């Protein structure tokens, strides 16, 4: 029975009564790891989180896996890791890259890395960090370049790579023969839009009623949330009728709410805050949305793309390298030049006048999402890990 040791970047908060606050998605993912791995499963998390928006309280004795919590600045050492058959860690974490070094790796242990960000995405995120001065941003970028050398060395030396999304796969798959691509998302096949819901959406579109736009995600600059109001302004100027429902919270929430109030946009823009994914967001998207508005400028593998398509709604967004690839391969939406809010609004206006395109792209996106349902992608990943220890 091979032992799987995971090292994850998930947040954890230790509570005074001995319970833990953990991200719900993380716990659900670990539960499925336990179900599909033929042996014991353990995980290491680091302290340091101050808030977990989509978290819940858990008794550590009720978890189905062994959980070790260490200090935020504690090094990950090979001591105690020698008894594992496979270590699965995120290569986006710089403090686990040494584990694949032939001179340091635990004896007889396979090392597999997952990875989401390429170097370009890391640098763009550093550029958008408003908490840092220009000089500190330059230093951060130099540090990232130095870490990238370590990362590429580790990915060459490890036993396998799981790349989440097209940019990471394109950047790193050539470094290791045991590389696989996966598309992460929370949508299982049973949660996806039904044909009755698709038919109801088609009838709504054919009726000529106002176009129902939606957006979800953290309302942060690095997520492009600052472009939502400029798109709304451009849409109002175009004269089309629409509504925009925004789900999420972040540092830009109050700025967006103020703009909605001061500019008289409350008749078409509604801010919902953070809501439960399964109980609120997915049902709303499946029944009350026609088009997802994405202002995301980064090339990270945002699961929002696949989840929106799973709800039967197409996407219009910026041409970052993730969405550009996904739009082309799925047919589930349209990509416009980066940062051009008027182009986003113009594309939406053109789709409003040719709603058959929305219906067709929604169906194509749904088919693509069904072919990459959570359970299938997860099983593919677990089969990949199992193959490396048998």
């Amino acid at each position: 029975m091979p032992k799987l040791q995971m090292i994850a970047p998930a947040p954890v908060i230790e509570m005074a009564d001995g319970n833990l606050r953990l991200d719900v998605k993380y716990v659900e993912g670990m539960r499925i790891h336990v179900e599909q791995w033929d042996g014991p499963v353990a995980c290491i998390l680091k302290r340091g989180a101050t808030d977990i928006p989509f978290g819940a309280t858990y008794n550590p004795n009720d978890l189905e896996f062994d959980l070790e919590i260490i200090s935020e600045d504690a090094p990950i050492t090979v001591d105690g890791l020698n008894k594992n058959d496979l270590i699965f860690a995120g290569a986006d974490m710089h403090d686990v890259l040494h584990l694949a070094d032939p001179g340091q790796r635990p004896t007889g242990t396979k090392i597999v890395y997952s990875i989401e960000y390429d170097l370009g995405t890391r640098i763009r995120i550093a550029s958008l960090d408003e908490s840092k001065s220009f000089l500190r941003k330059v230093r951060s970028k130099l540090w990232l370049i130095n870490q990238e050398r370590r990362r590429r060395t580790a990915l060459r030396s490890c036993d396998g790579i799981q790349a989440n999304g097209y940019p990471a796969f394109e950047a790193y798959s050539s470094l290791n023969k045991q590389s696989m691509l996966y598309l992460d998302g929370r949508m299982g096949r049973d949660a996806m839009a039904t044909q009755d819901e698709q038919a109801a959406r088609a009838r709504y579109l054919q009726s000529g009623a106002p176009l129902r736009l939606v957006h979800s995600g953290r309302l942060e600059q690095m997520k492009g949330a600052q472009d939502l109001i400029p798109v709304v302004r451009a849409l109002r100027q175009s004269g089309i009728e629409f509504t925009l429902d925004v789900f999420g919270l972040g540092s830009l929430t109050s700025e967006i709410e103020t703009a909605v109030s001061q500019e008289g946009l409350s008749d078409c823009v509604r801010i919902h805050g953070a809501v439960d994914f399964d109980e609120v967001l997915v049902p709303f998207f499946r029944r009350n949305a026609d088009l997802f508005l994405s202002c995301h400028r980064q090339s990270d593998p945002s699961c929002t793309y696949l989840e929106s398509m799973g709800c039967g709604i197409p996407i219009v967004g910026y041409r970052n390298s993730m969405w550009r690839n996904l739009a082309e391969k799925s047919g589930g939406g349209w990509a416009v030049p980066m940062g051009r809010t008027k182009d986003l609004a113009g594309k939406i206006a053109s789709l409003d006048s040719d709603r058959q395109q929305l219906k067709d792209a929604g169906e194509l996106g749904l088919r693509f999402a069904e072919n990459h349902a959570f359970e299938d992608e997860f099983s593919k990943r677990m089969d990949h890990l199992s193959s490396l220890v048998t």
Side-chain angles (χ1 to χ4, degrees), residues 45-122:
L45 297 181
K46 286 196 168 188
R47 300 184 182 96
T50 57
D51 183 37
I52 305 177
F54 297 100
T57 300
Y58 298 89
N59 184 322
N61 295 322
D62 294 336
L63 299 176
E64 301 175 72
F65 56 95
D66 293 330
L67 178 59
E68 180 183 0
I69 302 171
I70 63 177
S71 298
E72 184 179 9
D73 56 355
I76 304 291
T77 66
V78 297
D79 298 337
L81 296 178
N82 289 306
K83 297 180 181 180
N84 296 289
D85 295 277
L86 189 148
I87 295 175
F88 187 36
D92 296 293
M93 303 165 61
H94 68 89
D95 54 355
V96 299
L97 299 177
H98 64 285
L99 294 175
D101 186 328
Q104 297 190 56
R105 72 158 62 201
T107 304
T109 301
K110 302 285 187 178
I111 308 292
V112 179
Y113 289 114
S114 63
I115 188 158
E116 295 189 357
Y117 295 166
D118 61 7
L119 179 60
T121 297
R122 296 174 202 281

Side-chain angles (χ1 to χ4, degrees), residues 294-345:
S294 172
C295 301
H296 198 27
R297 299 183 180 219
Q298 307 305 325
S299 295
D300 59 274
S302 174
C303 57
T304 301
Y305 300 129
L306 205 62
E307 291 165 356
S308 298
M309 291 192 289
C311 291
I313 54 176
I315 301 162
V316 60
Y318 289 143
R319 195 176 290 142
N320 61 62
S321 58
M322 178 64 191
W323 174 235
R324 183 193 69 240
N325 272 287
L326 186 53
E328 291 174 354
K329 295 178 187 299
S330 68
W334 304 268
V336 306
M338 191 74 70
R340 291 167 61 169
T341 56
K342 289 185 178 179
D343 285 1
L344 277 175

Side-chain angles (χ1 to χ4, degrees), residues 83-276:
K83 297 180 181 180
N84 296 289
D85 295 277
L86 189 148
I87 295 175
F88 187 36
D92 296 293
M93 303 165 61
H94 68 89
D95 54 355
V96 299
L97 299 177
H98 64 285
L99 294 175
D101 186 328
Q104 297 190 56
R105 72 158 62 201
T107 304
T109 301
K110 302 285 187 178
I111 308 292
V112 179
Y113 289 114
S114 63
I115 188 158
E116 295 189 357
Y117 295 166
D118 61 7
L119 179 60
T121 297
R122 296 174 202 281
I123 289 177
R124 283 189 290 275
I125 291 173
S127 298
L128 291 171
D129 189 345
E130 295 182 330
S131 69
K132 294 181 178 179
S133 65
F134 173 77
L135 183 58
R136 289 184 64 199
K137 287 181 180 180
V138 171
R139 289 173 177 167
S140 293
K141 292 174 185 178
L142 291 174
W143 185 85
L144 288 170
I145 291 171
N146 182 58
Q147 293 301 311
E148 184 69 5
R149 298 190 186 100
R150 294 184 60 232
R151 182 170 289 106
R152 295 180 75 86
T153 297
L155 293 174
R156 287 190 187 96
S157 303
C158 70
D159 299 286
I161 300 173
Q162 294 190 0
N164 181 12
Y166 302 110
F169 187 76
E170 291 172 355
Y172 302 114
S173 61
S174 63
L175 301 178
N176 195 298
K177 292 182 179 179
Q178 292 294 336
S179 296
M180 64 161 287
L181 166 71
Y182 72 98
L183 300 177
D184 190 28
R186 291 169 285 182
M187 292 285 285
R189 193 171 289 102
D190 290 344
M192 295 188 186
T194 67
Q195 284 307 301
D196 285 346
E197 289 167 338
Q198 291 294 86
R201 180 181 290 114
R203 289 192 297 271
Y204 179 89
L205 288 169
Q206 290 167 0
S207 74
L211 199 61
R212 301 171 298 180
L213 308 177
V214 289
H215 175 85
S216 68
R218 286 188 287 132
L219 301 183
E220 302 286 350
Q221 185 176 12
M222 68 170 287
K223 296 293 186 180
Q226 69 274 17
D227 291 349
L228 290 172
I229 295 300
V231 172
V232 169
R233 293 190 191 112
L235 285 172
R236 289 286 286 258
Q237 291 172 3
S238 73
I240 74 167
E241 293 187 51
F242 70 95
T243 59
L244 171 62
D245 286 276
V246 179
F247 296 85
L249 291 172
S251 62
L252 297 181
T253 299
S254 61
E255 180 181 320
I256 293 171
E257 289 176 337
T258 298
V260 170
S261 176
Q262 292 182 347
E263 299 182 33
L265 302 174
S266 58
D267 61 327
C268 61
V269 180
R270 297 180 287 259
I271 312 297
H272 297 267
V275 300
D276 184 86

Side-chain angles (χ1 to χ4, degrees), residues 4-72:
L4 172 63
Q5 173 69 64
M6 302 177 67
I7 306 171
V12 57
I13 297 175
E14 296 167 292
M15 304 174 72
D17 60 3
N19 288 325
L20 302 173
R21 185 164 179 83
L22 295 164
D23 182 80
V24 173
K25 182 181 176 182
Y26 162 75
V27 175
E28 177 63 15
M30 289 301 300
R31 183 186 65 79
I32 304 175
H33 273 99
V34 171
E35 285 181 359
Q36 297 195 18
W37 183 259
D38 188 21
V41 177
C43 189
I44 296 173
L45 297 181
K46 286 196 168 188
R47 300 184 182 96
T50 57
D51 183 37
I52 305 177
F54 297 100
T57 300
Y58 298 89
N59 184 322
N61 295 322
D62 294 336
L63 299 176
E64 301 175 72
F65 56 95
D66 293 330
L67 178 59
E68 180 183 0
I69 302 171
I70 63 177
S71 298
E72 184 179 9

